């Protein structure tokens, strides 16, 4: 049976391999909780704090992290399937390798995160903070990046084909062998001061 918890603190608890289905947590704190190989389905976290939590090899399906704070937590080999991770900030977390299948990660704080070679294709990352993030070799095909902060983000060999880049300052990112479609290339050229004209004359 799904449970509802508010304003609780869970410390040093062993939830290894647990199955959480439809549970709801509001303003709860999870400190050094072990969720290794757990399966979270339809779980809702709002304004929760995760500190030193182990999510290794966990599966999160249709789960929401709304305006949460995640610190020093390990997401090694985690799968996010259709999750809503909005307004949530990750700091000093292990975020690779992870699998992300769809979902909305709007307004997420991933400043300085190590996301090398992570596949974020088709994800909604609008308004997210990716400043200083290492996205070397990352796959961002069709990703919604409108309004995202990519200052000093490392995008070497990243694939941005089909990504939406409205209000994104690509000129402030570190690009090297970065794959862009025509729209992205024109945007970058304009941000470097070029006058792009459709008229060959």
């Amino acid at each position: 049976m799904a449970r509802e918890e508010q304003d609780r603190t869970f410390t040093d608890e062993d939830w290894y391999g647990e199955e959480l289905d439809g549970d709801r947590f509001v303003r709860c704190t999870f400190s050094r909780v072990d969720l290794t190989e757990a399966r979270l389905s339809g779980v809702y976290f709002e304004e929760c704090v995760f500190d030193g939590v182990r999510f290794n090899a966990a599966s999160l399906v249709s789960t929401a992290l709304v305006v949460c704070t995640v610190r020093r937590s390990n997401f090694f080999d985690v799968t996010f399937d259709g999750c809503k991770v909005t307004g949530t900030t990750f700091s000093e977390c292990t975020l690779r390798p992870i699998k992300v299948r769809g979902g909305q990660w709007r307004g997420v704080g991933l400043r300085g995160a190590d996301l090398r070679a992570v596949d974020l294709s088709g994800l909604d990352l609008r308004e997210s903070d990716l400043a200083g993030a290492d996205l070397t070799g990352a796959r961002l095909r069709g990703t919604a990046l409108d309004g995202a902060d990519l200052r000093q983000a490392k995008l070497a060999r990243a694939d941005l084909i089909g990504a939406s880049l409205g209000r994104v300052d690509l000129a402030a990112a570190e690009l090297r062998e970065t794959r862009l479609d025509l729209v992205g290339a024109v945007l970058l050229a304009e941000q470097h001061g070029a006058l792009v004209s459709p008229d060959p004359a």
Side-chain angles (χ1 to χ4, degrees), residues 83-96:
C83 293
K84 180 179 180 180
V85 187
T86 56
T88 291
T89 301
F90 296 85
S91 60
E92 300 179 67
C93 294
T94 298
L95 291 165
R96 58 184 296 270

Side-chain angles (χ1 to χ4, degrees), residues 67-187:
V67 197
C68 293
T69 300
V70 189
R71 300 187 294 254
R72 296 181 291 275
S73 296
N74 199 322
F75 290 85
F76 181 84
D77 202 27
V78 167
T79 298
F80 292 92
D81 193 346
C83 293
K84 180 179 180 180
V85 187
T86 56
T88 291
T89 301
F90 296 85
S91 60
E92 300 179 67
C93 294
T94 298
L95 291 165
R96 58 184 296 270
I98 58 172
K99 302 180 187 71
V100 183
R101 300 171 184 153
Q104 183 183 95
W105 289 47
R106 190 167 185 174
V108 170
L110 290 163
R111 181 175 288 257
D114 183 356
L115 295 165
R116 288 172 296 162
V118 171
D119 189 346
L120 301 172
S121 297
L123 193 61
D124 184 353
L125 276 166
R126 287 175 291 172
E127 314 295 339
S128 292
D129 184 357
L130 290 158
D134 191 346
L135 290 153
T136 301
R139 189 174 173 88
L140 295 154
R141 283 204 164 213
T143 300
L145 288 164
D146 305 83
D149 187 351
L150 288 170
R151 287 174 295 176
Q152 281 75 57
K154 298 176 182 177
L155 289 165
R157 300 185 302 283
D159 186 347
L160 276 75
I161 300 294
S164 56
L165 298 163
R167 307 186 314 284
V168 172
D169 186 1
L170 274 183
E174 297 180 22
L175 308 180
R176 190 177 74 254
E177 299 180 31
T178 306
R179 299 190 65 188
L180 297 168
D181 56 18
L182 181 59
V183 173
V186 168
L187 173 66

